[in-house]
Amino acid sequence: MKTLLLTALFSLTSLAYAADAPMVNPHGSSPHGAVASAAEVGDVNVAKAVGANAYTVAEIIDQSKILKDKPVVVRGKVVKFSPEIMGKNWIHLRDGSGTAAAKNNDLVLTTKDQAKVGAVVIARGIVRTDKDFGHGYAYEVIMEEASVSAK
């Protein structure tokens, strides 16, 4: 009986500790996904997408309040690819615009498509703001429902 009580007490203590632990964004420390541990892909200097609704990564992040719930097109280099998290593939794109200090150089997007780290792609999707998926997945800016294709 003592063993059972000690086991239960230990389990409750562990749960209390886990509940107090801070949530960690698996896509980086910034709420909109700035990558702390992106793969080293060299210098990123990708030409801006052309056509209607074309923006740079920095423009999407900086103008997110205006672009909220609107379709955008962005061209960038894949610096991180995380497959099948919550039924979606998660991609971090950079195009050389913005800065890490301003937290506007990395755009997270969700998609059903695949991409390889280092590939330059064009992504078309909807800008969302203040998106909280739970479990530490919270973003000030994210592109959802994206389709991703080779440059």
Side-chain angles (χ1 to χ4, degrees):
M1 184 67 165
K2 286 183 184 180
T3 304
L4 182 60
L5 285 173
L6 287 174
T7 302
L9 182 60
F10 179 72
S11 295
L12 289 175
T13 303
S14 297
L15 286 175
Y17 174 75
D20 291 337
M23 294 297 274
V24 175
N25 183 337
H27 297 287
S29 60
S30 169
H32 65 264
V35 180
S37 60
E40 181 55 47
V41 292
D43 289 337
V44 177
N45 188 7
V46 177
K48 181 178 175 178
V50 294
N53 305 321
Y55 295 89
T56 66
V57 167
E59 289 171 340
I60 291 171
I61 293 168
D62 293 342
Q63 299 175 36
S64 62
K65 292 189 183 351
I66 296 166
L67 296 173
K68 180 181 178 183
D69 300 326
K70 294 183 178 164
V72 296
V73 178
V74 64
R75 188 169 180 259
K77 185 180 272 191
V78 177
V79 296
K80 187 171 182 181
F81 178 79
S82 301
E84 293 302 317
I85 298 173
M86 297 188 303
K88 303 173 187 190
N89 295 328
W90 298 71
I91 297 174
H92 288 253
L93 283 184
R94 292 184 184 172
D95 60 7
S97 66
T99 65
K103 298 181 182 177
N104 66 350
N105 69 331
D106 185 272
L107 179 66
V108 177
L109 60 94
T110 61
T111 182
K112 295 289 184 184
D113 298 331
Q114 301 279 321
K116 291 188 183 283
V117 171
V120 174
V121 298
I122 293 178
R124 291 173 170 77
I126 308 296
V127 174
R128 305 288 187 208
T129 60
D130 301 316
K131 187 75 176 192
D132 189 347
F133 295 93
H135 307 288
Y137 292 87
Y139 301 90
E140 289 178 12
V141 181
I142 189 168
M143 181 192 291
E144 291 191 293
E145 305 165 29
S147 64
V148 177
S149 60
K151 60 178 178 171

